[in-house]
Amino acid sequence: MTAALSARMRVVRSSAFELDLDLELAPGERVAVMGPSGAGKSTLVAALAGFVRLDAGRIQLDGEVVADASVRGTTVRRGIHVAPMDRGVVLLGQDARLFPHLSARENVAFGPRARGHSRTDARRAADEWLDRVGLAGFGDRMPAQLSGGQQQRVAVARALAVEPRLVLLDEPLTSLDIQTAAEIRMLLADQLRSTAVVITHDPVDALAIADRLVVIERGMVAQHGSVREVLLHPATPFAQALSDHVRIAGRIGDAD
């Protein structure tokens, strides 16, 4: 089976830091990426999305090369760099970034319209997605009339309505309250069908959404495996801290 995402990436951000790792995802696989501050998570997202160029390596999506920086001796040949809007990749971050002048329906319909769908079909698809994210009947509301959680639901619908090849989730729950974050987490677990990279600081997100967990430290992969395997058998102090975060201290005793 051809990998949906195959990436060999080296990005030099400064003399003190570089990202140097491999990442491969099967079609429909959801991989969580976690690491301490400064580990390279933002650089990883930026490289996959196309916002920064590779210094070496190659990124392929569904077999198509979208970035290539071949090294020949001391010369780097950056022969391929597909623009972010042409990669079939969507990025959902902490800020919903809805178009303030468009209704919820038109925000979601924007992607299908950009892909050539008729206005009628795009609006129909938008209403279907709003229903799937729990916002049936909210299509005519403007972003300013929606709560933060509702805006993020619209953002999820807008991201998934274009049927992207790759979804990048860059800590989309961080700015939400606990209850709303839990609702959006379950929504993503239920509705996300595309291949996805989930950047998060919360192991609960990884457990709920992802099939696999990759821990990166100092720009390199420190540990990877199923989410439960990594959390049950942490290989680094950071991974141990993640594991401790989801454990509940207590004692099992006989019931009365």
Side-chain angles (χ1 to χ4, degrees):
M1 181 183 295
T2 302
L5 170 66
S6 179
R8 171 72 185 95
M9 295 177 288
R10 181 171 180 266
V11 180
V12 179
R13 300 296 282 192
S14 69
S15 59
F17 177 81
E18 68 178 53
L19 178 76
D20 190 354
L21 56 79
D22 297 346
L23 188 64
E24 189 166 295
L25 277 69
E29 185 179 19
R30 301 178 292 195
V31 172
V33 177
M34 306 185 73
S37 298
K41 301 186 296 296
S42 296
T43 301
L44 171 63
V45 168
L48 292 174
F51 297 133
V52 300
R53 288 179 174 269
L54 300 181
D55 289 291
R58 172 181 289 194
I59 300 173
Q60 292 181 236
L61 286 172
D62 294 334
E64 177 191 353
V65 178
V66 297
D68 182 40
S70 301
V71 179
R72 298 291 184 271
T74 58
T75 303
V76 177
R77 299 177 181 178
R78 299 183 179 183
I80 298 175
H81 182 80
V82 176
M85 69 285 294
D86 297 323
R87 293 194 177 196
V89 175
V90 296
L91 171 61
L92 180 62
Q94 298 178 26
D95 188 345
R97 297 186 181 277
L98 301 180
F99 300 119
H101 61 292
L102 297 180
S103 67
R105 178 183 297 109
E106 295 302 334
N107 262 281
V108 179
F110 181 86
R113 285 285 285 155
R115 288 194 163 194
H117 293 271
S118 69
R119 185 173 185 179
T120 298
D121 288 345
R123 284 186 163 189
R124 183 183 301 115
D127 282 335
E128 290 175 357
W129 269 105
L130 288 173
D131 184 32
R132 290 170 72 174
V133 300
L135 291 179
F138 284 70
D140 293 327
R141 296 197 186 185
M142 304 300 286
Q145 298 174 305
L146 301 172
S147 68
Q150 290 168 341
Q151 289 183 30
Q152 196 71 322
R153 287 174 182 267
V154 175
V156 170
R158 183 176 64 178
L160 301 185
V162 298
E163 299 180 353
R165 296 197 292 188
L166 176 66
V167 175
L168 302 173
L169 301 175
D170 190 5
E171 302 194 27
L173 309 180
T174 299
S175 61
L176 302 175
D177 63 78
I178 294 176
Q179 179 177 345
T180 302
E183 293 171 354
I184 302 295
R185 184 184 297 116
M186 291 301 100
L187 169 64
L188 288 168
D190 182 57
Q191 296 295 336
L192 187 57
R193 297 290 180 269
S194 302
T195 306
V197 175
V198 185
I199 306 296
T200 180
H201 69 282
D202 191 339
V204 176
D205 294 343
L207 284 165
I209 301 173
D211 306 302
R212 190 156 51 95
L213 174 59
V214 174
V215 177
I216 64 173
E217 300 182 30
R218 298 181 296 279
M220 297 181 292
V221 174
Q223 187 177 5
H224 66 90
S226 71
V227 179
R228 294 186 182 278
E229 177 186 352
V230 172
L231 294 179
L232 287 174
H233 305 287
T236 71
F238 176 81
Q240 180 65 60
L242 295 178
S243 177
D244 292 343
H245 181 75
V246 293
R247 292 181 180 176
I248 299 176
R251 178 182 298 174
I252 299 175
D254 295 331
D256 293 333

